[in-house]
Amino acid sequence: MILARFLSKFFAKEGIVLIDSRGQKYICGEVKNKEKPLTLKLLKKDLNWKLLIYPELYLGEEYYKGNIEIENGTIYDFLNLSLKNLGRKKINIYSTIINNLVYGYKFISNHNFIGASKRNAEMHYNRGEDIYDWMLDKEHRQYSCALFKDPKETLEQAQTNKLSHIVKKLNLKPGQRVLDIGCGWGGLSRYIAKEIGCEVHGISLASNQIEYCKNKAKENKLDNLLSYKLCDYREVKGTWDRIVNVGFFEHVSPKFYKTFFKKINDLLKDNGDSLCLTHTIATTNPPSPANPFINKYIFNGGKVPSGSQITKAIEQSGLVISGWESLIDHYNLTLDHWRERFLNNDYDVKKAYGSNFIRLWDFYLSSCSAAFKWSDLLVYQIETVKDFKSVPGRTRDYIYN
């Protein structure tokens, strides 16, 4: 069996057992737990070739449809073991060819204009508020990487750490005007208004998020400092002391990277004291295709940028990179918290969305966590300014003091 031979080479560090649709067992690699080996069980014959030629799509797709089962472990265990073995390497020549063909096609055909961007945002963020109630932190409702000073910290504390870190980098002063692009459910804007006393204007393309933000601003008696609007970043007018975007740049798409940073340049004040902070997932690899499962079922139109794509776009915009930090071993912990909270509500999830949705979301959170732990994903925080005069200090002590 070709798939079994491929998996035997793939699982070089620690192996698994494969059971095909006929019930035939194959030992793939060196199995350490002989009594209860981690087992991949295929319930359809066509998975023998699907998992060989395009596992990036078909593993998640067929798992969530119930055609793949994991025995003596979970999909989280299987994905972590898989990416631990793979690291940053390509899976095989077949999937590399397909990925490159898809990348070329999508680069030509995908255009994240305003209408398409709005549809993509609504598809993910308007799935159902209860999904995010079940998994996100209760204090700030943050749907982006937390900052764990200690791996044992609560999710709430780690998300507060992240917000505090961003605010320190922004070097805010009371009364300044801040634009929050892709404001989500408004946790960062509320934190800035409470802690610093700035005026913050948040924008999003998800109508449920804007409604939530407006209600929370009134509830917290911050509506004198906070405003929100359903609009695209390309439609924003005026100038701002600070601009921040957290978990937004992944939705921009490569064709519009230059457009995005050029717009940032236009929106920042020409006062020698303006600054933008971009917090984004990125890949350590060269520019490459989007994950097909995530693109199809989770984030339509989403694309994780590479460092080279980001720097090129910033240079072309005329902005200056004044700070760049890599956050490693934080997002996998964040995703693990989300997954645990989500699965702790599996009864309610199944009642509202069905058992297939549990598998879909579990695969999404588990695969992303494994990629951040073992593969090519990390988070960048990038500060950009209009000129050297706008750099907050000669050193970065203002962040860490």
Side-chain angles (χ1 to χ4, degrees):
M1 183 187 182
I2 297 176
L3 178 61
R5 289 201 295 270
F6 162 69
L7 292 178
S8 293
K9 293 180 180 178
F10 181 90
F11 287 99
K13 296 177 182 176
E14 184 177 346
I16 64 163
V17 170
L18 170 68
I19 303 178
D20 67 16
S21 58
R22 299 171 302 164
Q24 179 67 44
K25 288 187 178 182
Y26 303 86
I27 306 299
C28 302
E30 182 183 350
V31 176
K32 294 187 177 180
N33 188 339
K34 308 281 191 220
E35 293 184 4
K36 291 186 176 181
L38 188 62
T39 301
L40 178 69
K41 187 175 182 181
L42 312 182
L43 305 183
K44 287 176 64 185
K45 187 177 180 180
D46 63 2
L47 292 177
N48 294 346
W49 62 265
K50 281 186 172 181
L51 294 185
L52 184 66
I53 66 167
Y54 206 17
E56 294 98 328
L57 173 62
Y58 291 126
L59 178 63
E61 186 170 84
E62 297 296 340
Y63 175 78
Y64 113 77
K65 290 179 178 178
N67 297 321
I68 292 175
E69 294 178 354
I70 306 296
E71 296 181 349
N72 301 321
T74 64
I75 192 63
Y76 178 90
D77 300 326
F78 179 79
L79 290 166
N80 269 272
L81 182 59
S82 297
L83 290 188
K84 181 180 179 180
N85 277 276
L86 180 65
R88 292 170 57 189
K89 301 189 297 290
K90 303 288 186 184
I91 293 179
N92 61 37
I93 187 63
Y94 309 114
S95 67
T96 299
I97 292 171
I98 293 174
N99 274 320
N100 288 338
L101 289 171
V102 171
Y103 183 62
Y105 170 74
K106 290 200 170 184
F107 186 83
I108 294 170
S109 61
N110 278 18
H111 301 279
N112 271 13
F113 295 118
I114 293 174
S117 295
K118 189 174 191 307
R119 288 191 297 273
N120 292 337
E122 294 280 355
M123 176 266 184
H124 185 80
Y125 297 103
N126 284 13
R127 283 178 186 265
E129 287 292 298
D130 46 4
I131 298 170
Y132 305 102
D133 288 336
W134 290 323
M135 61 184 258
L136 300 183
D137 67 287
K138 303 304 181 186
E139 189 170 351
H140 306 293
R141 202 177 178 84
Q142 288 289 288
Y143 195 20
S144 57
C145 179
L147 181 62
F148 288 86
K149 295 181 179 180
D150 184 330
K152 296 179 181 179
E153 284 181 323
T154 65
L155 180 60
E156 280 71 19
Q157 181 59 56
Q159 290 292 12
T160 300
N161 295 343
K162 187 263 301 289
L163 298 181
S164 173
H165 194 53
I166 288 172
V167 166
K168 288 176 180 177
K169 285 186 173 184
L170 288 171
N171 197 34
L172 293 161
K173 304 172 185 66
Q176 287 184 321
R177 298 181 70 239
V178 181
L179 174 64
D180 184 0
I181 300 176
C183 63
W185 286 275
L188 175 58
S189 56
R190 290 191 297 276
Y191 186 86
I192 291 172
K194 285 180 183 177
E195 297 296 321
I196 310 296
C198 295
E199 296 179 22
V200 188
H201 181 60
I203 63 169
S204 170
L205 288 174
S207 55
N208 63 309
Q209 291 183 335
I210 294 299
E211 182 181 358
Y212 181 94
C213 287
K214 288 179 177 179
N215 290 336
K216 274 291 182 180
K218 290 180 182 177
E219 180 185 315
N220 287 276
K221 295 181 173 53
L222 292 169
D223 43 332
N224 61 318
L225 292 174
L226 298 174
S227 61
Y228 300 96
K229 187 176 181 180
L230 186 70
C231 80
D232 188 273
Y233 71 93
R234 288 160 284 198
E235 301 173 303
V236 177
K237 309 293 183 184
T239 56
W240 309 82
D241 297 294
R242 300 288 186 272
I243 300 174
V244 62
N245 58 99
V246 177
F248 175 80
F249 193 69
E250 302 93 318
H251 300 287
V252 171
S253 94
K255 284 184 182 177
F256 292 91
Y257 290 166
K258 181 180 175 182
T259 300
F260 176 80
F261 283 110
K262 180 65 172 65
K263 185 64 176 179
I264 295 297
N265 201 350
D266 293 341
L267 293 172
L268 285 171
K269 287 184 177 179
D270 286 310
N271 61 358
D273 185 36
S274 59
L275 182 150
C276 172
L277 184 141
T278 298
H279 171 116
T280 181
I281 298 170
T283 174
T284 57
N285 291 335
S288 54
N291 180 281
F293 174 81
I294 298 295
N295 215 229
K296 183 175 181 179
Y297 292 104
I298 308 299
F299 292 110
N300 288 163
K303 176 70 178 69
V304 172
S306 68
S308 60
Q309 288 175 311
I310 298 169
T311 52
K312 182 179 179 181
I314 293 173
E315 288 170 357
Q316 291 174 335
S317 73
L319 291 169
V320 177
I321 298 173
S322 61
W324 189 302
E325 181 179 11
S326 301
L327 300 182
I328 298 171
D329 196 31
H330 292 279
Y331 217 153
N332 52 303
L333 299 177
T334 308
L335 285 152
D336 290 349
H337 276 277
W338 291 346
R339 178 178 179 269
E340 180 181 7
R341 292 176 180 218
F342 176 78
L343 293 179
N344 283 343
N345 289 280
D346 61 349
Y347 176 82
D348 293 326
V349 178
K350 186 176 181 179
K351 187 176 178 181
Y353 298 97
S355 56
N356 276 14
F357 183 79
I358 296 177
R359 288 193 291 271
L360 173 73
W361 215 250
D362 189 10
F363 189 92
Y364 153 50
L365 297 174
S366 297
S367 62
C368 290
S369 173
F372 277 100
K373 185 171 185 178
W374 302 108
S375 190
D376 63 304
L377 296 184
L378 76 170
V379 171
Y380 289 142
Q381 286 189 351
I382 306 159
E383 298 133 81
T384 49
V385 294
K386 301 196 78 164
D387 51 49
F388 291 162
K389 292 183 295 183
S390 299
V391 178
R394 297 187 63 83
T395 69
R396 295 173 70 79
D397 291 347
Y398 67 93
I399 299 171
Y400 299 102
N401 283 345

